[in-house]
Amino acid sequence: MKLVKTWKNIKIYVNTNADSIKAGQELMNAYVSKNKKDIKINSFGKPYLANNRLYFNISHTKDYACLAVSSCEEVGVDIERCDRQVDYRTIMLSRFNIQYLNRIGNSVAFIKEWTIRESAIKCYGDLTLNSIYGVETYRNILKCDGKPDLEYHVFRYENTYICVTRKLVEHKKTKK
């Protein structure tokens, strides 16, 4: 397990292994093992810790697994290999806003957009949130009707894109 980035208060770990499921289990065992009895699953299938001392999310692709951990807020993470062969035009026509087709010219750009939306769904913890694919992003902010705005950070790691997402909290200004 390797800490590859810290963004805001979120730590992002990656494990490489020939078996991504095993790599993901190794990440979970190394970081969350002492809290295993507190792991619960929400109604949409997202794992969480019942005691709320630690927020986490995990993703895997082929021979990579990624874990995002925060001590104070919900997180979502997605990792995808950039060399993954996908029929992105067909997927975009069925899920994304049609205007994206003109902006995304290849499968690598599509993979980047896909990780943003997948990490957002995982941050919300609602795997039924298909409307997220039609949502525009602006300056690392993703807005989805009826849901809190999200802030995301997407970056390359080796031959992958990783995106970590958190709920955007607007701090109220206090009067003096």
Side-chain angles (χ1 to χ4, degrees):
M1 172 169 63
K2 178 180 178 183
L3 176 65
V4 296
K5 187 169 276 248
T6 299
W7 174 68
K8 307 289 180 170
N9 64 351
I10 302 167
K11 293 183 179 187
I12 303 138
Y13 298 91
V14 172
N15 195 2
T16 57
N17 190 308
D19 177 357
S20 66
I21 302 294
K22 183 177 178 188
Q25 290 169 340
E26 289 170 2
L27 278 172
M28 290 294 290
N29 288 338
Y31 208 95
V32 187
S33 63
K34 60 184 170 241
N35 299 301
K36 274 187 181 175
K37 67 181 186 309
D38 296 328
I39 295 177
K40 307 293 182 199
I41 306 294
N42 77 7
S43 61
F44 299 107
K46 181 179 180 179
Y48 69 95
L49 290 172
N51 61 23
N52 273 342
R53 290 190 311 251
L54 191 68
Y55 299 90
F56 68 95
N57 196 237
I58 194 161
S59 180
H60 58 86
T61 183
K62 203 168 181 179
D63 51 355
Y64 290 88
C66 185
L67 174 70
V69 180
S70 172
S71 60
C72 62
E73 61 192 332
E74 284 289 346
V75 296
V77 70
D78 192 45
I79 184 170
E80 295 291 342
R81 289 182 61 101
C82 294
D83 60 357
R84 182 176 167 191
Q85 298 300 311
V86 291
D87 181 3
Y88 74 95
R89 290 187 176 279
T90 301
I91 295 170
M92 288 184 70
L93 286 171
S94 67
R95 296 243 180 147
F96 281 82
N97 224 321
I98 193 68
Q99 62 203 26
Y100 276 147
L101 260 178
N102 296 329
R103 284 198 313 214
I104 297 178
N106 59 56
S107 61
V108 173
F110 170 76
I111 294 292
K112 180 179 177 183
E113 291 292 323
W114 184 265
T115 60
I116 293 168
R117 280 146 183 83
E118 287 291 306
S119 68
I121 288 171
K122 293 170 80 178
C123 184
Y124 286 136
D126 184 348
L127 303 179
T128 64
L129 192 64
N130 287 325
S131 63
I132 198 85
Y133 295 102
V135 173
E136 290 284 337
T137 60
Y138 180 71
R139 294 189 179 189
N140 294 1
I141 304 296
L142 192 139
K143 295 178 178 284
C144 188
D145 291 338
K147 298 280 187 181
D149 292 349
L150 298 177
E151 182 178 23
Y152 66 89
H153 178 65
V154 63
F155 62 97
R156 290 285 299 259
Y157 176 75
E158 293 182 359
N159 191 34
T160 69
Y161 269 117
I162 296 173
C163 185
V164 63
T165 305
R166 70 186 192 123
K167 291 180 182 169
L168 186 60
V169 179
E170 293 186 24
H171 299 286
K172 296 179 181 176
K173 294 181 181 177
T174 56
K175 293 183 180 180
K176 293 187 178 184

